[in-house]
């Protein structure tokens, strides 16, 4: 049981390049999330998807777009990368089908550097 | 709005010392409460949870009790090991789809 899988694990981009971070979960969870974690700091929510077909902005959505491709997959796109987007990105999922006060399961993270 | 406040780190202890990491929260209603652990270079893992007042979550020697009267969920361990060195996050979930996170507390255990 893989849980939450993120690809790639590491990426270096040049300023202005675009890329898509992929996330897939095999736990049949309804809700999925993208967070960023800057050095020495906590988690900041970028976007989330409460269910297939819906997405909502979090605390720091500027410069990002998301797609909930199906129930399993939730991708994060950087259209024009900036050095300020250098961070570690975490995808998470939760089972919110019957009740919403459930725990989140995290991927291993994507370490992105924008030069 | 809802919020979670954790004690600032880093917390530095010697091996076999007693650990307490404070966590207090502000929330309406009856949230679930969680502690997560993040080892260097890894993602977050659920350490323990509690879903209602007076519940005690426990795992790997760590414990935390959901105290509604003091709105707290302090993490404790009786005897820490070097392998417990990590960042610990307190979080709550409410009747919406978001989790509210504390800022994290870095724990350093010296042999």
């Amino acid at each position: 049981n893989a849980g939450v899988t993120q690809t790639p694990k590491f990426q270096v981009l040049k300023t202005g390049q675009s890329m898509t971070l992929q996330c897939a979960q095999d736990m049949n969870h309804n809700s999925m999330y993208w967070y960023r974690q800057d050095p020495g700091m906590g988690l900041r929510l970028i976007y989330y998807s409460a269910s297939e077909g819906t997405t909502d902005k979090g605390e720091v959505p500027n410069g990002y777009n998301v797609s909930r491709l199906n129930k399993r997959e939730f991708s994060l796109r950087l259209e024009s990368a900036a050095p300020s987007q250098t961070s570690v990105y975490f995808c998470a999922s939760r089972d919110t089908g019957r009740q919403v006060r459930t725990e989140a399961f995290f991927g291993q993270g994507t370490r992105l550097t924008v030069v | 709005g809802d919020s979670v406040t954790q004690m600032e780190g880093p917390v530095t202890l010697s091996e076999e010392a007693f650990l307490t990491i404070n966590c207090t929260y502000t929330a309406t209603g009856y949230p679930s409460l969680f502690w997560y652990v993040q080892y260097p270079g890894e993602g977050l893992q659920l350490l323990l949870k509690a879903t209602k007042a007076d519940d005690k979550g426990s795992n790997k020697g760590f414990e935390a009790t959901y105290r509604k009267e003091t709105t707290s969920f302090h993490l404790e361990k009786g005897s820490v090991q070097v392998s417990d060195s990590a960042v610990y996050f307190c979080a709550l979930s409410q009747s919406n789809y978001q989790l509210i996170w504390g800022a994290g507390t870095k724990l350093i255990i010296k042999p």
Side-chain angles (χ1 to χ4, degrees):
Chain A
N1 197 351
V4 179
T5 302
Q6 291 183 235
T7 55
K9 289 185 169 49
F10 301 92
Q11 184 71 49
V12 178
L13 287 179
K14 293 182 178 178
T15 298
Q17 285 185 320
S18 63
M19 79 162 294
T20 299
L21 281 63
Q22 307 287 353
C23 175
Q25 53 90 8
D26 61 3
M27 295 173 282
N28 201 37
H29 287 171
N30 290 336
S31 299
M32 298 186 73
Y33 304 79
W34 277 106
Y35 292 92
R36 61 177 288 174
Q37 184 179 34
D38 298 317
M41 296 187 66
L43 298 173
R44 290 190 290 173
L45 181 65
I46 305 171
Y47 272 94
Y48 69 101
S49 170
S51 61
E52 185 179 355
T54 68
T55 60
D56 285 282
K57 294 179 181 179
E59 181 186 355
V60 289
N62 291 344
Y64 306 95
N65 285 300
V66 291
S67 296
R68 183 75 183 266
L69 305 170
N70 48 55
K71 192 171 186 179
R72 289 187 64 247
E73 298 172 288
F74 188 40
S75 63
L76 178 72
R77 183 161 178 83
L78 286 70
E79 291 292 350
S80 179
S84 61
Q85 293 179 305
T86 294
S87 189
V88 181
Y89 291 85
F90 289 103
C91 178
S93 71
R94 296 171 68 202
D95 179 6
T96 55
R98 283 178 292 178
Q99 62 118 341
V100 295
R101 297 183 181 88
T102 54
E103 66 267 32
F105 294 82
F106 282 80
Q108 289 299 295
T110 295
R111 284 149 182 80
L112 175 67
T113 302
V114 183
V115 298
Chain B
D2 297 347
S3 65
V4 174
T5 303
Q6 289 181 236
M7 64 189 294
E8 287 192 26
V11 173
T12 303
L13 296 172
S14 297
E15 207 166 19
E16 299 184 2
F18 185 86
L19 168 71
T20 300
I21 300 178
N22 290 337
C23 172
T24 57
Y25 67 91
T26 302
T28 56
Y30 303 93
S32 292
L33 300 172
F34 309 95
W35 276 103
Y36 282 79
V37 59
Q38 183 180 32
Y39 298 104
E42 297 186 9
L44 281 73
Q45 305 172 30
L46 179 68
L47 181 58
L48 53 84
K49 67 179 182 180
T51 59
K52 60 183 187 295
D54 300 325
D55 267 2
K56 178 185 282 188
S58 61
N59 187 25
K60 300 181 181 179
F62 291 90
E63 294 183 340
T65 301
Y66 188 161
R67 303 283 189 200
K68 191 163 177 62
E69 64 276 13
T70 55
T71 62
S72 65
F73 192 54
H74 304 323
L75 183 68
E76 296 181 336
K77 187 176 185 183
S79 177
V80 293
Q81 306 300 313
V82 172
S83 57
D84 294 325
S85 297
V87 180
Y88 292 82
F89 290 92
C90 186
L92 70 82
S93 70
Q94 262 282 35
S95 56
N96 58 31
Y97 291 93
Q98 294 196 32
L99 284 164
I100 309 299
W101 295 90
T105 302
K106 185 173 184 177
L107 175 64
I108 300 169
I109 306 300
K110 296 188 173 181

